[in-house]
Amino acid sequence: MFMEQQIVTIKALDKVTHDVLKIVTEKPNNYNFNPGQATEISINKPAWNDERRPFTFTSLPQDNYLEFTIKTYPSHNGVTNELLQLKVNDELIVHDVFGTIGFGGDGIFIAGGAGVTPFISIFRFLQSKNKIGNNKLIFANKTKADIILKEEFENLLGNNFINVLSDEKVEGYEHGFINELLLKKHINNKEQKFYLCGPEPMMEAIEKQLINLNIDTEMIIKEKF
Ligand SMILES: Cc1cc2nc3c(=O)[nH]c(=O)nc-3n(C[C@H](O)[C@H](O)[C@H](O)COP(=O)(O)OP(=O)(O)OC[C@H]3O[C@@H](n4cnc5c(N)ncnc54)[C@H](O)[C@@H]3O)c2cc1C
């Protein structure tokens, strides 16, 4: 599908955590994507319509709307701060669809912060097919308040939802950064897929740890945020 750009109207805007916005928009006709994929978004306002930033669809391909789950950085004057100023009926511009993360078999999903967004879409897709199975999510955040869609993941994954908090000690949660020991504890099977998404330093560290644990690099599917 080739599409240069398309203006879509915002239908709903909600906060899902203290700094994460959920934005629902219209969906252009014949606009298709796979769970895990993204598009570039800009804001349809003078001074902003050329500022494109990548965001992942968190709605499902079959939904008749688009949903995005966006961590905002109000401390500097970028696109995500400007998104915080928008209201229902304001417009966004969406572009072509891209992205390397897609579901390629059951496995362990490892996310840092907003790096969980491709996995939101994939887990919702699996649930819609009754195929959540034994997939596991290891989710790293600074504090409990930063966990995106905590309740939804708890309901979807039960004990296969493992939270790791770097800046807060909470009972029942892992504390610190993801490390080899923690991965070893939660990897029940090395012959499965490992999906990685988050900030670059985290991704590099975890990929090394997985390789040290004898995970085949071909089993690692990743995207840097
Ligand atoms: C394929 C892909 C898909 C993505 N999907 C999502 C998604 O679904 N949801 C999501 O939340 N994010 C997603 N991201 C990340 C998102 O694109 C960035 O967070 C966004 O571009 C930031 O835009 P900005 O204009 O607000 O910040 P920019 O001006 O572009 O700033 C870039 C980066 O600088 C850092 N920064 C912000 N404020 C400061 C500051 N005051 N000082 C220093 N550094 C700062 C942030 O880490 C920010 O990401 C995705 C990224 C990629 C590559």
Side-chain angles (χ1 to χ4, degrees), residues 102-113:
F103 186 69
D106 284 0
I108 300 194
F109 294 73
I110 305 170

Side-chain angles (χ1 to χ4, degrees), residues 172-183:
Y173 291 70
E174 301 277 4
H175 177 65
F177 288 121
I178 293 176
N179 59 34
E180 230 170 280
L181 207 66
L182 185 142
L183 289 171

Side-chain angles (χ1 to χ4, degrees), residues 149-215:
L149 300 180
K150 179 173 163 292
E151 264 148 48
E152 181 171 339
F153 284 127
E154 281 169 355
N155 290 334
L156 280 178
L157 299 168
N159 290 336
N160 282 333
F161 179 36
I162 292 116
N163 282 287
V164 188
L165 302 178
S166 59
D167 292 7
E168 193 181 30
K169 275 196 170 167
V170 179
E171 215 189 305
Y173 291 70
E174 301 277 4
H175 177 65
F177 288 121
I178 293 176
N179 59 34
E180 230 170 280
L181 207 66
L182 185 142
L183 289 171
K184 205 170 167 181
K185 182 167 135 194
H186 294 289
I187 296 174
N188 43 334
N189 164 12
K190 292 184 179 177
E191 305 297 313
Q192 58 183 335
K193 290 286 192 305
F194 290 82
Y195 299 87
L196 268 184
C197 190
E200 192 162 16
M202 172 196 160
M203 304 261 298
E204 279 174 11
I206 295 177
E207 202 174 357
K208 272 195 201 130
Q209 293 160 11
L210 289 173
I211 291 166
N212 287 342
L213 291 168
N214 292 323
I215 306 297

Side-chain angles (χ1 to χ4, degrees), residues 20-21 36-39 48 51-58 68-82 98-100 113-118 148 197 223-225:
V20 176
L21 268 183
Q37 286 192 305
T39 185
W48 288 102
E51 292 291 329
R52 299 177 177 200
R53 298 289 188 280
F55 295 103
T56 311
F57 306 101
T58 53
F68 301 94
T69 305
I70 297 180
K71 188 174 172 83
T72 59
Y73 300 94
S75 64
H76 84 150
N77 192 23
V79 170
T80 61
N81 178 56
E82 198 58 26
F98 67 96
T100 55
V116 78
T117 51
I148 299 171
C197 190
E223 188 146 290
K224 173 171 57 87
F225 264 32

